[in-house]
Amino acid sequence: MFAIASMNGIVIGVIYALSALGVSLVVGIMNVVNFAHGEFYILAGYFSYLFATALGMNLLAAMTLAVAIVFVFGLLVEYTLIRPTYGDDLYSLILTFILSIVLQNAYLLIFGPYPNKPPGWVRGATDIFGLFMYGNQRLAALVAGTCVIVFVFAMIKLTWFGRIIRATSQDRGMAELNGVNTTRLNMLSFGLGCALAAAAGVILAPVFPVTPTAGVPVALTAFVVVVLGGMGSLRGCIVGGLTLGLVENLGAAYLSTGYKHVFGFIILILVLAIRPSGLFGHKEA
Amino acid sequence: MSQGASILKSNRKNFLYGAGLAAFAVLPWMLGVYNQHVLIVCLFYTMMAASWNLIAGYTGQISFGHAAFAGIGAYVSGILAVKAGLNPWVGVAAGTVAAAFFGLLVGLLCLRMGGIYLSLTTLGFSEILHIIINNEYEITRGTMGLQVPGLTTSYSKISYFYIFLVGAVITLTIVYKLVHSNVGLNFRAVQNDERAASALGVDVVRTRLLAFTVSSALAGMAGALFGHYMMLITPHIPSLDQQFLVLSMTVIGGLGSFVGPVIGAFCLEILSEYIRAWGEYHVLVFGLVALVVARFAPKGLVGIYKAWRGKKRPETA
Amino acid sequence: WSSDTIKVGVVGPRTGGAAATGKAFEEGIQLATDYVNAKGGVLNKKLEIVFEDTAGAPDKAASGFERLATRDKVVMVLGESHSSAALAEIEVANRLGIPFMVVEAWADPITAKNYRYVFRAGPSNSGVVNDTIAKWVAAEQFKKVAIVAENTDWGLGIAELTEKAMDKAGVPYLTVTTERKSQDHYMELTKLKAFDPDAVLAFVYGTGLHYFVAQAGEVGLTPKAIILDGAGPPSLWPDFWPNVGEYGDLECFVSSMHEKVELTELATQFRKSYVEAFGKAPTDYKSRSMFDAILIAADAINRAGSVDAEKLVEALEKTDLTVTRGKVTFGTEKGGPEYHHWMPPMLVIQWQNKEQVVLFPAEGATGKLKR
Amino acid sequence: MAREDDLKLVQGVGITKRFGGVQALSDVDFEVEKGTIVGLIGPNGAGKTTLFNIVAGAIAPSSGVVRFQGEDITGWSAYKVCRRGIARTFQVTRPFGEMTCLENVAVGVVNRQPGCRRSQWTALAAECLEAVGLRDLAATEARHLNVVQKKRLEIARALATRPELLMLDEVLGGLNSQEIQEAVAFIQGLRDQRRLTILWIEHVMGAIMQATEKVIVLDQGKILTTGTPTEVVNDPRVIHAYLGD
Amino acid sequence: MLEVSNIDVYRGETQVLWDISLEVAAGERVAILGSNGAGKSSLMGAIAGILPPAGGKINFKGETISGRKAYEVTRFGIALVPEGRRVYKEMSVRENLEMGGYVSRKQRRIDQGMEQVFALFPVLRDRRHQAGGTLSGGEQQMLAIGRALMSRPELLLIDELSLGLAPRITKEIYQAISGLELETTVLLVEQNVEMALSHSQRAYIMESGRITRSGRSETLMADDDIRRAYLGL
Ligand SMILES: Nc1ncnc2c1ncn2[C@@H]1O[C@H](COP(=O)(O)OP(=O)(O)OP(=O)(O)O)[C@@H](O)[C@H]1O
Ligand SMILES: Nc1ncnc2c1ncn2[C@@H]1O[C@H](COP(=O)(O)OP(=O)(O)OP(=O)(O)O)[C@@H](O)[C@H]1O
Ligand SMILES: [Mg+2]
Ligand SMILES: [Mg+2]
């Protein structure tokens, strides 16, 4: 029991971290909470389903194209909705909140109420050390998710893009003086945030099929992870995701399956009460 | 402007409010049962939007837990009525107090950080509430909803209309009094600049907590009344959909303006009655309207009206 | 007023999580109105259906019902697939004195409240559990069963009835609740696997069931244990197979419709006109349930010879009509859920190589349980 | 002894403040006598504003004690300190931009006199605006003011809290020499008519020389010297650290 | 090299600069003096593209740079050491310097530049892995100057060079600036009037958003009014 609970906690934790990565990035750089994060995730799931199933595209190509389209869509949303709200972070929250409801209902009209699932990459399950059986698609999602997370970390730590993102998040005006076009960077990073939501979407859709409203719980856990880990801290995002995954699964294993998600919130409240800025957060001046 | 003129103007304003209220109070006698129901729902949303506006519009705290507090009011009142056989009116009072209490707790937890933390924590709070309502099926009857007695012995739309009218007037009066009192000055000062406010003797945390608690209590009252009107309390009262409606109404009416939420509540509720026939399109249309207004007219309908009047009769600076 | 139509209201979810049901209802409505109006309509007028969205939420359902009655002035209301919404609606129906025929909401209290204006032409929880599930468990001689309940009124309610039935039959069981919105059932499944049951009675609705079936296969609970989908439709949804893959094989479900076995001639006719109208075979049996309900309503209106509510209730009580699922008669004995209730026959069907094999009842069986 | 304590309106003992590695103040002792105008000068980053912030309760000292009229007010929150009778202005002005000037000032009034009525605070706030010459702009939103007007509004707001000690942080910035003369007269007037005690940070040495009775010189978080203006400007250490030769 | 003609600048709705004109020739070192809030930083901001002028024009090497965004102005070869240093607190000294070289993004140029900065401020080499925010005030100011130099600017704008610096460090930095004179033109804002005048060829004096005087530094230094107003003598 403990073994599978921990294993599942880690897998789900990585999945949570992956889903929260985009939110964390956008909060960190732009101080904008993208409430419609879950809907971008779902959109990518739908696209990868459409391309792979209806158009019969190669799986990898379908996924890449889906992420690319959501990225462009993210750029558009930044341009039309988010950009005018810079400096008023609460207003962007209101706008993206409304956007999320609009998208949910648009999906319902376009894709219908039934769940959609792109084909799995692998089939079957693996026997883990003779302890328990574990779905292969989940293991694949774990690997893919870890790759995306490592990729994002590498990008942030090692490339110019990461450097200017970090600089901009610390001092936007100064970055501008150093020659960074922060307007374009914002657009790009919002797009990237959406693309990360999309990456999570295409990786997870074969495990958890997408429905018009399935984005809500995704976004909700992403927010919990981000607040838990500390606003805008990527490291916090990973630790937050893993903490949440483990707490929920161990709680479900030993306490109550019905209250699984409440355990996560309880941890969140405890952390906030003790460290108001989250595990890795900095208190804003 | 001289003192006298301003008193005159405020008297005229009061007179207008009074006359409008009187005219509105006789309206249901001229309408059918169905439209009476629509008016009652409008009044419910007026209470919700006006009280949400108190925190969002006047102190700049975007709470996503407003519907949750309405839910707490409704469930506490309903459970007391069903399980303890309490008079529903006592239940409404208890529900209001309970909502205030939870508002205070949530406020204490996250008002220190303010801003986005408050938004996300209230969101989490409303989710916890949902899970608890679903799981504690024995007490809350889960999604099936808790059937509760009405507030009056014989069911009549007209009497509910007046109950809700009184509720809305109470809510609006409290909001108006608060905003136009010394505390209201503090609300605005805190929203503008916390540090400067505290240097002028404003207890920032208490001011915010006060706004949050009062607003939660008012939501609790609205929720409790609504539960007894529907005679059924379901997890839909504290849902995100409901929160979305309240937020849209306030934003479309005019965030931070006194009449904005009232206008927003009436416009959107009546609009939604009309476009309901469009079935699955109606929420989408709703959202799009809200999105366009929020994006292009951040001050809502009230802002549009003011800008239009300002253009017609340019203010002398 | 003078109007050349008679309006009947339908309530059901067209938006929200169960919007699929609304779609099925719409199909049923289309076929039924065509059918009724082609036969001369009701009281020599055309039958018109007004569909009100409830979004699956009780409060919306109650106000939607009220809207149908007060704004659209319908003579009767049909429909609903959420027990919670139906329970809210019956209060309104009773208050306003509007006949209301519930179609696919299973909670016992809907008819157990013995409201004069409330009828049910569809399954009830106790009906499904006692007439179908318990008997099937006994017939298959399962030694141990697991009960999985989603934490909704329906899930928890039917699980409780099942526990009672298992107690009575002396079959040991383990009950596990699961969160309705949860996508990940590994922990629940691990607990079940440790219990090692012969059958899992899964009261999980919608996509949740798809997750459950697929993950049960992954953790190796199935195929050793047989899953019975207590709600029927999710196993028939068009996306069932894409979602569950090979793990769907051998899964069982309760349904009132089978792709081959038809109990009446009207059912065959329904299937034909469905395929003509929509270019595919009917999957969600709720379209047929709605079709039946409209036929029953039209019949009652014609027999009543008026749209007066009292007369309609009397006419409904005297219903004796054969619809797609058999002959309809409503119970008239007060005191239990059988009052104003017609329980249609239900089948237990197993997927065997993507073919539907009827296992139960024995008289309709087309094959044996495979494990 | 008692009389002597009475004279010290505010007194700091051993005030130390570290920001992480930055030692902003170390072991600062100072006192301000009732009814005087005391200048606080020193190079940028000497810790003057930090000292203000500590006295005003905006930040807590790492160690040390602040006494006001003999009462220990160390670590009190800003609003309590204000209600106790200490008002301050901000070096970078912080008006409530979306409120009118009258309302800006009213915030100060209502928190010092809770429960006062609208008519009362309107009158009191108007009077404070009058004092700084902003009466005509009472109904203007504060964000429309220019810099000098904003500084005056800061002073009006501070006066509205009926302080006994008024702390001014560089209120002369942006004024020309003529205006500086007027401002100095105004500040001396405040002391004389309202019986205020004033602690004043300013880089304009002329004004400090003219208006103050005592000058405290801070340098790198330490008191460099304290004395009459004339003593201070002639102190070679002050010339070296702050005035330049 | 730099020509500022008749610019008006607003911050929000308040005007902070009125009709400012000035010129800087290549290789020159020019000081801007003035009391607090006189508008010196606003002028620097206007040149660097942070505060677009509402009227007037700014030309750099014959091209108009007014109306361009800050990041574009930077690419013309202008670098600003802003008021308050503004080092990236959570990035290491090295990364801070690299950000200075973002305009070119060529690793070789960046390495070279970094060597030059380290030669100029040896203490930074010792601290290169330390986070910017943990440096002492003086070191932060050195870092800010070093970062500006990383882009190899033709015109270096320095706002409040000596702000918060101990006099000794101020002197060191002035000496360093003097050493740069061959390549770089410097326009600097300074509170320490004496220091500024003795390390510049020309100076402008600003009051309440206007330029009130200008002239050669030695002349101004000898001026009694100025000595009284700014040196408190
Ligand atoms: N919040 C803070 N975190 C870290 N260091 C700080 C903080 N606030 C001030 N300091 C540092 O403390 C020192 C003293 O600052 P303070 O603002 O008191 O100086 P000041 O004497 O008022 O200078 P000025 O004349 O420029 O206003 C400075 O070196 C400053 O960098
Ligand atoms: N962000 C801002 N918003 C509005 N007004 C500002 C802002 N920053 C500065 N000001 C005002 O603009 C005027 C010019 O400021 P600026 O910073 O350019 O002056 P300065 O000469 O550099 O002063 P200092 O010596 O304090 O650095 C000042 O009166 C100041 O109060
Ligand atoms: Mg200072
Ligand atoms: Mg400056």
Side-chain angles (χ1 to χ4, degrees):
Chain A
M1 193 71 169
F2 180 77
I4 187 168
S6 314
M7 166 86 181
N8 203 44
I10 289 170
V11 175
I12 298 287
V14 169
I15 287 172
Y16 284 167
L18 177 67
S19 318
L21 210 54
V23 177
S24 180
L25 194 75
V26 175
V27 169
I29 302 166
M30 301 161 66
N31 231 336
V32 166
V33 171
N34 179 9
F35 213 95
H37 186 76
E39 280 63 47
F40 286 101
Y41 168 107
I42 294 301
L43 186 62
Y46 275 129
F47 278 134
S48 67
Y49 161 78
L50 266 185
F51 299 146
T53 310
L55 304 182
M57 274 168 68
N58 169 292
L59 214 52
L60 194 65
M63 284 165 57
T64 317
L65 189 60
V67 173
I69 291 179
V70 173
F71 173 71
V72 172
F73 185 56
L75 295 185
L76 264 172
V77 168
E78 194 275 347
Y79 184 73
T80 51
L81 289 183
I82 312 294
R83 189 170 300 177
T85 69
Y86 285 138
D88 188 350
D89 13 321
L90 292 178
Y91 215 79
S92 57
L93 197 63
I94 290 182
L95 279 173
T96 51
F97 179 59
I98 302 177
L99 178 68
S100 80
I101 303 276
V102 168
L103 287 178
Q104 277 170 34
N105 285 282
Y107 296 164
L108 183 63
L109 279 187
I110 300 167
F111 300 106
Y114 295 112
N116 279 309
K117 177 174 160 176
W121 316 336
V122 287
R123 337 175 74 209
T126 305
D127 194 339
I128 310 279
F129 307 126
L131 288 170
F132 51 83
M133 297 290 286
Y134 209 84
N136 283 338
Q137 183 61 41
R138 281 186 186 212
L139 294 173
L142 173 70
V143 173
T146 313
C147 289
V148 172
I149 291 173
V150 168
F151 173 75
V152 169
F153 258 75
M155 187 172 67
I156 299 290
K157 290 280 174 206
L158 303 177
T159 67
W160 268 113
F161 182 71
R163 215 172 281 153
I164 62 178
I165 274 187
R166 290 202 297 140
T168 306
S169 72
Q170 284 172 44
D171 189 334
R172 166 182 305 275
M174 191 59 226
E176 187 94 359
L177 283 171
N178 280 147
V180 178
N181 182 347
T182 53
T183 314
R184 210 178 58 189
L185 183 68
N186 275 338
M187 195 165 168
L188 270 178
S189 37
F190 191 84
L192 182 69
C194 296
L196 282 175
V202 297
I203 291 176
L204 295 181
V207 186
F208 305 123
V210 288
T211 62
T213 50
V216 178
V218 173
L220 213 61
T221 24
F223 297 149
V224 172
V225 167
V226 167
V227 176
L228 190 64
M231 224 40 104
S233 155
L234 283 186
R235 205 157 21 119
C237 177
I238 312 298
V239 176
L242 287 173
T243 311
L244 197 66
L246 283 168
V247 166
E248 283 188 3
N249 277 282
L250 291 171
Y254 295 105
L255 295 169
S256 149
T257 41
Y259 276 111
K260 184 155 105 181
H261 291 317
V262 171
F263 299 134
F265 286 119
I266 290 173
I267 288 294
L268 176 70
I269 287 173
L270 288 180
V271 168
L272 280 183
I274 297 161
R275 265 189 75 94
S277 48
L279 293 172
F280 287 84
H282 297 276
K283 183 155 169 53
E284 288 154 52
Chain B
M1 178 197 325
S2 81
Q3 197 87 358
S6 106
I7 286 173
L8 244 170
K9 197 180 157 196
S10 92
N11 270 351
R12 207 180 62 191
K13 211 170 168 185
N14 284 345
F15 174 76
L16 278 178
Y17 279 142
L21 190 64
F24 184 70
V26 298
L27 192 58
W29 297 97
M30 292 176 263
L31 297 172
V33 177
Y34 168 67
N35 287 319
Q36 289 171 358
H37 167 76
V38 174
L39 282 186
I40 294 171
V41 177
C42 285
L43 287 170
F44 165 68
Y45 281 120
T46 299
M47 288 190 245
M48 289 295 286
S51 51
W52 188 70
N53 188 37
L54 180 64
I55 35 170
Y58 291 105
T59 69
Q61 305 288 317
I62 304 294
S63 157
F64 286 118
H66 208 60
F69 291 116
I72 288 183
Y75 273 99
V76 167
S77 175
I79 289 169
L80 285 177
V82 172
K83 305 274 160 178
L86 227 62
N87 180 308
W89 285 105
V90 180
V92 171
T96 310
V97 172
F101 175 72
F102 279 99
L104 188 70
L105 282 189
V106 174
L108 278 175
L109 185 69
C110 52
L111 280 175
R112 269 182 303 166
M113 294 301 292
I116 291 170
Y117 278 85
L118 176 98
S119 302
L120 297 185
T121 311
T122 48
L123 187 68
F125 173 73
S126 95
E127 200 55 21
I128 294 185
L129 192 69
H130 246 250
I131 298 175
I132 292 177
I133 290 171
N134 272 331
N135 275 297
E136 297 310 320
Y137 166 80
E138 295 295 323
I139 301 170
T140 62
R141 311 308 296 170
T143 47
M144 187 133 67
L146 185 66
Q147 295 193 351
V148 297
L151 289 165
T152 52
T153 36
S154 66
Y155 188 92
S156 126
K157 293 271 174 201
I158 296 269
S159 50
Y160 274 105
F161 173 81
Y162 287 114
I163 291 171
F164 275 76
L165 187 61
V166 170
V169 169
I170 290 176
T171 304
L172 289 171
T173 310
I174 290 179
V175 171
Y176 189 89
K177 284 280 172 208
L178 264 183
V179 170
H180 289 85
S181 71
N182 301 351
V183 183
L185 278 176
N186 287 352
F187 285 170
R188 293 167 62 202
V190 168
Q191 188 181 8
N192 270 274
D193 188 331
E194 265 176 53
R195 258 192 78 196
S198 67
L200 291 177
V202 181
D203 185 342
V204 174
V205 173
R206 231 189 67 181
T207 301
R208 281 212 186 123
L209 214 50
L210 177 74
F212 198 72
T213 309
V214 169
S215 152
S216 309
L218 290 174
M221 178 178 80
L225 289 177
F226 191 66
H228 286 292
Y229 166 61
M230 299 298 290
M231 303 209 278
L232 178 77
I233 297 165
T234 68
H236 185 247
I237 297 180
S239 70
L240 263 190
D241 289 351
Q242 197 77 347
Q243 178 67 47
F244 162 70
L245 272 181
V246 171
L247 179 145
S248 305
M249 286 168 173
T250 317
V251 169
I252 289 179
L255 194 63
S257 97
F258 178 71
V259 287
V262 183
I263 293 173
F266 274 80
C267 287
L268 260 71
E269 174 54 27
I270 292 171
L271 176 73
S272 87
E273 289 299 327
Y274 277 94
I275 62 176
R276 199 181 289 274
W278 303 0
E280 53 262 57
Y281 290 92
H282 96 261
V283 189
L284 185 62
V285 171
F286 224 79
L288 284 174
V289 170
L291 199 60
V292 168
V293 173
R295 162 69 178 81
F296 293 103
K299 297 234 158 90
L301 294 175
V302 170
I304 294 176
Y305 172 71
K306 278 190 180 152
W308 172 77
R309 210 186 47 181
K311 222 177 257 166
K312 239 180 66 176
R313 186 158 46 88
E315 263 176 76
T316 41
Chain C
W1 72 82
S2 68
S3 158
D4 50 359
T5 62
I6 286 183
K7 287 188 192 169
V8 168
V10 167
V11 282
R14 298 170 87 174
T15 55
T21 299
K23 209 134 210 99
F25 277 180
E26 268 171 16
E27 294 166 352
I29 291 170
Q30 187 186 328
L31 296 177
T33 41
D34 289 353
Y35 181 86
V36 170
N37 286 332
K39 292 207 160 180
V42 282
L43 302 178
N44 298 320
K45 292 181 178 181
K46 273 209 150 61
L47 174 69
E48 184 189 338
I49 301 288
V50 187
F51 194 163
E52 184 71 27
D53 179 25
T54 65
D59 43 355
K60 282 194 188 165
S63 42
F65 194 105
E66 190 154 348
R67 201 173 293 119
L68 285 172
T70 56
R71 186 183 65 183
D72 301 312
K73 311 247 182 318
V74 300
V75 301
M76 192 172 174
V77 179
L78 320 169
E80 202 46 75
S81 65
H82 288 276
S83 295
S84 47
L87 281 165
E89 287 155 348
I90 60 172
E91 300 295 333
V92 184
N94 206 44
R95 174 156 55 79
L96 301 178
I98 301 277
F100 176 36
M101 196 193 309
V102 174
V103 173
E104 278 294 346
W106 294 11
D108 284 358
I110 292 171
T111 42
K113 287 203 169 182
N114 290 183
Y115 285 159
R116 175 169 165 71
Y117 298 96
V118 176
F119 290 79
R120 169 155 50 191
S124 68
N125 279 343
S126 53
V128 172
V129 169
N130 298 327
D131 296 357
T132 310
I133 295 179
K135 286 182 182 159
W136 177 67
V137 168
E140 302 288 357
Q141 296 176 333
F142 292 129
K143 299 275 176 313
K144 260 194 215 166
V145 299
I147 302 169
V148 179
E150 66 169 29
N151 60 349
T152 63
D153 43 300
W154 170 72
L156 297 168
I158 196 168
E160 206 183 314
L161 288 170
T162 312
E163 285 177 352
K164 276 190 200 134
M166 292 301 117
D167 279 338
K168 221 160 100 191
V171 179
Y173 59 86
L174 169 79
T175 309
V176 172
T177 37
T178 179
E179 234 175 81
R180 185 166 60 106
K181 284 191 197 149
S182 186
Q183 297 187 318
D184 175 28
H185 298 284
Y186 265 44
M187 294 331 298
E188 292 87 327
L189 287 163
T190 307
K191 287 184 181 172
L192 294 185
K193 210 179 156 197
F195 182 67
D196 192 24
D198 292 332
V200 180
L201 309 176
F203 301 113
V204 180
Y205 184 71
T207 324
L209 183 90
H210 297 183
Y211 297 141
F212 186 82
V213 171
Q215 292 170 16
E218 284 173 8
V219 302
L221 176 66
T222 52
K224 189 164 179 303
I226 292 295
I227 295 180
L228 176 76
D229 161 7
S235 303
L236 286 171
W237 282 8
D239 43 17
F240 176 73
W241 287 106
N243 283 349
V244 301
E246 68 263 43
Y247 298 124
D249 201 35
L250 302 188
E251 198 251 2
C252 302
F253 55 93
V254 177
S255 172
S256 65
M257 183 164 78
H258 179 266
E259 57 187 357
K260 299 247 171 52
V261 181
E262 301 289 20
L263 298 174
T264 65
E265 198 185 317
L266 188 59
T268 321
Q269 203 179 328
F270 172 83
R271 178 174 295 277
K272 221 180 94 212
S273 48
Y274 186 99
V275 174
E276 260 169 34
F278 306 110
K280 56 167 186 171
T283 43
D284 192 330
Y285 66 67
K286 287 178 179 174
S287 53
R288 207 173 68 170
S289 310
M290 177 50 71
F291 179 85
D292 282 356
I294 293 174
L295 263 52
I296 298 168
D299 169 65
I301 295 171
N302 278 328
R303 280 187 293 109
S306 134
V307 294
D308 177 64
E310 301 307 319
K311 295 215 173 101
L312 284 176
V313 169
E314 280 162 29
L316 279 170
E317 283 181 338
K318 297 200 188 92
T319 298
D320 185 6
L321 177 75
T322 301
V323 292
T324 62
R325 288 172 292 175
K327 204 169 92 170
V328 184
T329 51
F330 289 103
T332 46
E333 198 167 311
K334 287 204 170 195
E338 290 78 25
Y339 179 70
H340 282 188
H341 180 206
W342 170 59
M343 175 75 205
M346 301 293 275
L347 311 169
V348 174
I349 301 173
Q350 185 175 36
W351 284 115
Q352 296 180 0
N353 291 321
K354 299 204 180 178
E355 293 290 324
Q356 298 179 10
V357 175
V358 178
L359 303 178
F360 184 88
E363 54 273 27
T366 58
K368 285 231 165 312
L369 178 74
K370 253 170 79 179
R371 337 195 34 161
Chain D
M1 192 65 201
R3 266 206 60 75
E4 210 172 283
D5 273 351
D6 274 357
L7 283 178
K8 293 176 199 158
L9 185 68
V10 66
Q11 183 189 24
V13 183
I15 295 176
T16 299
K17 179 71 195 177
R18 278 178 300 274
F19 292 109
V22 183
Q23 183 83 20
L25 292 172
S26 33
D27 202 19
V28 169
D29 297 329
F30 75 97
E31 50 204 46
V32 177
E33 292 76 15
K34 202 169 162 56
T36 57
I37 301 181
V38 176
L40 180 56
I41 63 170
N44 289 114
K48 307 180 292 295
T49 303
T50 306
L51 191 60
F52 260 40
N53 283 337
I54 287 170
V55 174
I59 57 179
S62 308
S63 65
V65 176
V66 183
R67 287 203 193 90
F68 184 67
Q69 293 180 324
E71 186 178 2
D72 184 350
I73 60 163
T74 323
W76 284 23
S77 352
Y79 75 93
K80 276 195 188 157
V81 173
C82 166
R83 291 177 187 185
R84 184 69 183 77
I86 300 181
R88 59 92 58 93
T89 66
F90 289 96
Q91 185 171 6
V92 179
T93 58
R94 312 182 76 129
F96 305 126
E98 278 145 38
M99 297 167 72
T100 64
C101 290
L102 191 77
E103 287 167 337
N104 261 274
V105 179
V107 173
V109 179
V110 300
N111 284 289
R112 268 293 263 181
Q113 288 157 278
C116 85
R117 309 177 60 83
R118 192 185 184 92
S119 53
Q120 284 173 299
W121 62 247
T122 314
L124 285 169
E127 190 230 325
C128 294
L129 283 175
E130 183 84 64
V132 298
L134 287 179
R135 183 70 182 82
D136 293 343
L137 297 173
T140 309
E141 282 191 4
R143 65 197 158 97
H144 298 300
L145 300 186
N146 71 29
V147 185
V148 176
Q149 288 165 337
K150 280 181 186 158
K151 297 218 160 164
R152 290 193 196 165
L153 183 61
E154 286 274 331
I155 299 177
R157 289 198 311 195
L159 291 177
T161 67
R162 295 233 199 129
E164 291 180 60
L165 173 68
L166 176 62
M167 303 199 292
L168 303 173
D169 196 348
E170 296 195 35
V171 288
L172 297 188
L175 300 186
N176 65 30
S177 345
Q178 180 59 37
E179 287 166 335
I180 288 174
Q181 290 309 316
E182 289 167 16
V184 167
F186 168 70
I187 287 166
Q188 282 176 319
L190 286 181
R191 188 256 310 261
D192 298 340
Q193 283 146 30
R194 296 185 184 236
R195 315 210 163 284
L196 293 181
T197 306
I198 295 172
L199 180 60
W200 188 4
I201 299 180
E202 198 59 71
H203 286 299
V204 180
M205 273 314 287
I208 294 288
M209 296 283 297
Q210 232 178 316
T212 62
E213 280 104 43
K214 181 172 104 173
V215 177
I216 300 170
V217 186
L218 266 182
D219 181 29
Q220 296 183 20
K222 295 195 183 77
I223 300 274
L224 189 64
T225 179
T226 302
T228 64
T230 330
E231 284 166 12
V232 164
V233 285
N234 292 319
D235 186 325
R237 289 172 303 168
V238 178
I239 294 173
H240 175 73
Y242 180 57
L243 301 171
D245 1 68
Chain E
M1 187 176 203
L2 178 75
E3 277 172 74
V4 176
S5 10
N6 312 94
I7 59 165
D8 289 328
V9 170
Y10 289 78
R11 278 192 193 263
E13 285 162 38
T14 15
Q15 184 162 7
V16 292
L17 294 184
W18 282 266
D19 196 30
I20 300 279
S21 299
L22 61 79
E23 266 177 51
V24 181
E28 220 179 2
R29 274 164 300 129
V30 177
I32 297 174
L33 310 175
S35 55
N36 251 290
K40 309 176 297 288
S41 300
S42 306
L43 175 57
M44 295 300 230
I47 299 171
I50 303 170
L51 291 173
K57 208 172 181 188
I58 304 173
N59 281 350
F60 181 66
K61 293 199 299 182
E63 280 189 79
T64 306
I65 56 165
S66 45
R68 292 185 193 265
K69 299 267 169 54
Y71 67 89
E72 291 171 320
V73 171
T74 306
R75 291 170 193 174
F76 274 89
I78 297 179
L80 171 67
V81 180
E83 196 170 16
R85 303 161 195 152
R86 294 174 75 169
V87 301
Y88 300 112
K89 293 201 172 66
E90 284 156 43
M91 294 169 84
S92 68
V93 167
R94 217 191 143 79
E95 287 170 321
N96 264 280
L97 291 174
E98 281 169 344
M99 275 308 294
Y102 176 70
V103 228
S104 84
R105 257 166 289 182
K106 290 209 182 68
Q107 198 53 48
R108 237 179 47 135
R109 281 193 66 162
I110 287 174
D111 291 342
Q112 273 175 9
M114 204 157 328
E115 278 314 308
Q116 283 170 0
V117 172
F118 287 157
L120 201 56
F121 304 116
V123 64
L124 291 185
R125 188 196 299 275
D126 306 334
R127 307 280 154 104
R128 64 186 177 279
H129 298 303
Q130 197 173 321
T134 64
L135 296 181
S136 83
E139 290 157 352
Q140 284 190 19
Q141 184 73 340
M142 292 180 211
L143 179 57
I145 295 170
R147 182 179 56 189
L149 289 174
M150 286 293 293
S151 65
R152 311 214 172 175
E154 293 177 59
L155 173 63
L156 182 61
L157 308 172
I158 308 180
D159 195 353
E160 308 275 15
L161 181 78
S162 63
L163 184 85
L165 296 182
R168 193 176 54 79
I169 298 172
T170 310
K171 284 200 193 95
E172 277 177 24
I173 292 182
Y174 266 107
Q175 271 151 21
I177 298 286
S178 308
L180 293 172
E181 116 190 68
L182 333 156
E183 281 180 51
T184 312
T185 312
V186 181
L187 179 61
L188 64 91
V189 164
E190 185 48 277
Q191 297 233 322
N192 190 334
V193 172
E194 204 179 358
M195 196 65 106
L197 288 179
S198 53
H199 285 85
S200 61
Q201 284 119 33
R202 285 193 305 117
Y204 291 86
I205 294 182
M206 292 182 69
E207 267 174 48
S208 305
R210 293 186 170 81
I211 290 186
T212 48
R213 293 197 53 177
S214 63
R216 296 205 52 82
S217 299
E218 305 98 55
T219 328
L220 291 171
M221 188 73 142
D223 190 303
D224 281 346
D225 288 349
I226 291 182
R227 291 177 74 80
R228 221 174 295 120
Y230 295 100
L231 301 175
L233 298 174

